[in-house]
Amino acid sequence: MGGLAMWAPLVVGAGLSGLIYAGGPISGAHYNPAVSIAFYLRGRLSGQDLWYYLTVQMIGGVLAALVCQALFRDADPLPGTVPAVRIAPALLAEFIGTLALCYVILEVATTRRRAGNNYYGVAIGATVMAGGYAFGTISGAMFNPSVALGSMIVGLAAFGHLWIYLAGTLAGGVAAALIFLRVNREP
């Protein structure tokens, strides 16, 4: 990882932290379908709201990718281009990264013992940053189905690999919720 790419996980993690603090009071800062599914399984999001969130998140991912494409039209290669993907390692990387992200979010944002904390955005952003550094060269470290879809629509990743990102991230979100429910006894 060199050049601008070496800064990408730091920039993404820091940017996400800010967006979480800004969007938390409005929508719970649900920018990721895997996170929303984990919240649903945790019992903190209704089925009806889940479908609204999933729809808006997927539209948002596509719109964000189109904006980035317009901003970086002349870049070569476009920042954020996903490396050549090997199926098994990419699937595992997306699963582990999303599991970590969703588990941290459930712990810092949904438990009574951490209610009112001021570090939740930093904890979540740092998890994304760490995952980006750990898995960026393996899968692109998307950890978000809407980011994956948007990336593919603008040509940053191969559409044939969409299933890797959907399966890995959604399974990671489900696994995080199941682990959280197993280790936490509070409702």
Side-chain angles (χ1 to χ4, degrees):
M1 190 182 295
L4 290 177
M6 71 183 252
W7 297 102
L10 178 62
V11 171
V12 170
L16 180 60
S17 291
L19 289 169
I20 287 167
Y21 287 114
I26 299 165
S27 69
H30 285 249
Y31 304 123
N32 183 333
V35 171
S36 294
I37 289 170
F39 267 64
Y40 170 75
L41 294 172
R42 161 78 166 98
R44 293 295 176 100
L45 190 64
S46 72
Q48 181 178 0
D49 284 348
L50 175 64
W51 288 111
Y52 292 138
Y53 277 61
L54 295 178
T55 301
V56 171
Q57 290 160 343
M58 296 308 277
I59 292 168
V62 171
L63 292 175
L66 293 171
V67 168
C68 287
Q69 183 182 46
L71 290 171
F72 297 102
R73 187 176 315 275
D74 297 327
D76 187 31
L78 192 61
T81 302
V82 175
V85 172
R86 294 181 322 156
I87 292 171
L91 187 61
L92 186 58
E94 291 296 312
F95 172 79
I96 293 170
T98 307
L99 186 152
L101 172 62
C102 291
Y103 187 79
V104 166
I105 292 170
L106 291 172
E107 280 290 346
V108 301
T110 73
T111 60
R112 276 187 246 141
R113 68 185 174 281
R114 291 191 177 86
N117 74 68
N118 291 319
Y119 58 79
Y120 63 93
V122 174
I124 296 164
T127 302
V128 169
M129 180 185 68
Y133 281 116
F135 302 120
T137 59
I138 298 169
S139 68
M142 294 192 200
F143 315 139
N144 183 328
S146 62
V147 169
L149 178 62
S151 296
M152 290 169 193
I153 286 176
V154 298
L156 296 179
F159 242 111
H161 292 142
L162 181 60
W163 73 271
I164 294 170
Y165 296 97
L166 294 179
T169 59
L170 297 176
V174 169
L178 295 176
I179 292 168
F180 176 87
L181 291 170
R182 179 75 177 137
V183 300
N184 288 279
R185 299 294 179 205
E186 71 178 56

